[in-house]
Amino acid sequence: QVQLQESGPGLVKPSQTLSLTCTVSGGSITSGSYYWSWIRQPAGKGLEWIGRIYNSGSTNYNPSLKSRVTISVDTSKNQFYLKVSSVTAADTAVYYCARGWFDPWGQGTLVTVSS
Amino acid sequence: QSGLTQPPSASGTPGQRVTISCSGSSSNIGTNTVNWYQQLPGTAPKLLIYSNNQRPSGVPDRFSGSKSGTSASLAISGLQSEDEADYYCAAWDDSLNGWVFGGGTKLTVL
């Protein structure tokens, strides 16, 4: 079955850009009519949808983050990506990637914004 | 971003039936289907209910979902200790052109 795995730096300095990769295994990122999403969860808090991408490259973003977020896809690598610019401590969270209406999810990766 | 509204906590004893509510608006729950997710401590969320009331393969039939107007509910019957988790509802919002989540409900099995 399809599995997702997030990867990237666990520590990012304030004002810099957070960059994460989600690697899809067990199936092609182009198979089925799926969107691929990023979701985050600050410690002890709820889930926040960041945005999504279709394998054609079409994207939707959370309006509250849109000015700082870019999601892209590389179908040849079966990966999609998240960039969040100008990060602050408020961007510290566990970041998840997920397929479609969020099934399945990756295991999540903790990103801490600190100098 | 406006989200969906859930009670922060719920509780029940083993064997009981518990319901968790999720309130939205005409642009999200009123127009689109609702999904529910279960997040066990220290793990990633897992899809529990999709399209208001459908269970993915492997989800026990003790879990059920319903929707009416701009609200939805998750019911858990025959409560078990392993059901202790955080539960989230989610729906697509046509006004925001994005997904919105509820704030989550922490279920405690007494």
Side-chain angles (χ1 to χ4, degrees):
Chain A
Q1 71 277 22
V2 170
Q3 293 183 311
L4 290 80
Q5 177 72 58
E6 306 88 351
S7 59
L11 181 64
V12 181
K13 288 181 166 50
S15 80
Q16 293 190 342
T17 296
L18 176 164
S19 296
L20 295 175
T21 297
C22 182
T23 301
V24 179
S25 60
S28 171
I29 203 169
T30 60
S31 65
S33 300
Y34 292 113
Y35 278 89
W36 302 85
S37 284
W38 286 98
I39 299 139
R40 69 182 184 180
Q41 184 175 35
K45 297 189 177 181
L47 301 167
E48 179 180 39
W49 179 75
I50 300 170
R52 70 178 189 177
I53 190 164
Y54 194 65
N55 56 41
S56 65
S58 172
T59 55
N60 299 101
Y61 296 122
N62 183 327
S64 68
L65 297 169
K66 186 174 183 177
S67 63
R68 298 193 296 126
V69 169
T70 302
I71 297 176
S72 57
V73 64
D74 187 333
T75 56
S76 68
K77 294 184 177 179
N78 233 28
Q79 294 176 330
F80 64 106
Y81 311 96
L82 171 70
K83 289 187 185 297
V84 182
S85 63
S86 305
V87 297
T88 69
D91 294 306
T92 294
V94 174
Y95 285 75
Y96 296 100
C97 55
R99 183 186 69 172
W101 51 28
F102 319 140
D103 180 49
W105 297 62
Q107 66 183 30
T109 188
L110 174 63
V111 178
T112 302
V113 178
S114 175
S115 55
Chain B
Q1 180 184 16
S2 298
L4 308 177
T5 301
Q6 296 180 236
S9 63
S11 63
T13 56
Q16 266 191 332
R17 182 176 186 270
V18 170
T19 61
I20 297 172
S21 62
C22 175
S23 178
S25 67
S26 58
S27 63
N28 43 62
I29 294 178
T31 309
N32 300 302
T33 59
V34 178
N35 302 329
W36 290 89
Y37 304 87
Q38 178 192 56
Q39 186 174 32
L40 297 170
T43 70
K46 180 189 91 167
L47 180 65
L48 193 65
I49 296 287
Y50 67 96
S51 294
N52 302 328
N53 55 18
Q54 302 299 302
R55 283 186 309 278
S57 173
V59 173
D61 60 6
R62 301 186 296 103
F63 294 91
S64 62
S66 64
K67 186 185 104 168
S68 178
T70 59
S71 294
S73 291
L74 172 70
I76 309 171
S77 60
L79 198 61
Q80 300 180 2
S81 58
E82 58 258 39
D83 299 333
E84 193 160 280
D86 294 325
Y87 293 85
Y88 294 90
C89 58
W92 181 262
D93 191 296
D94 289 342
S95 294
L96 297 173
N97 210 27
W99 284 94
V100 288
F101 282 98
T105 299
K106 183 176 184 61
L107 175 64
T108 301
V109 181
L110 302 169

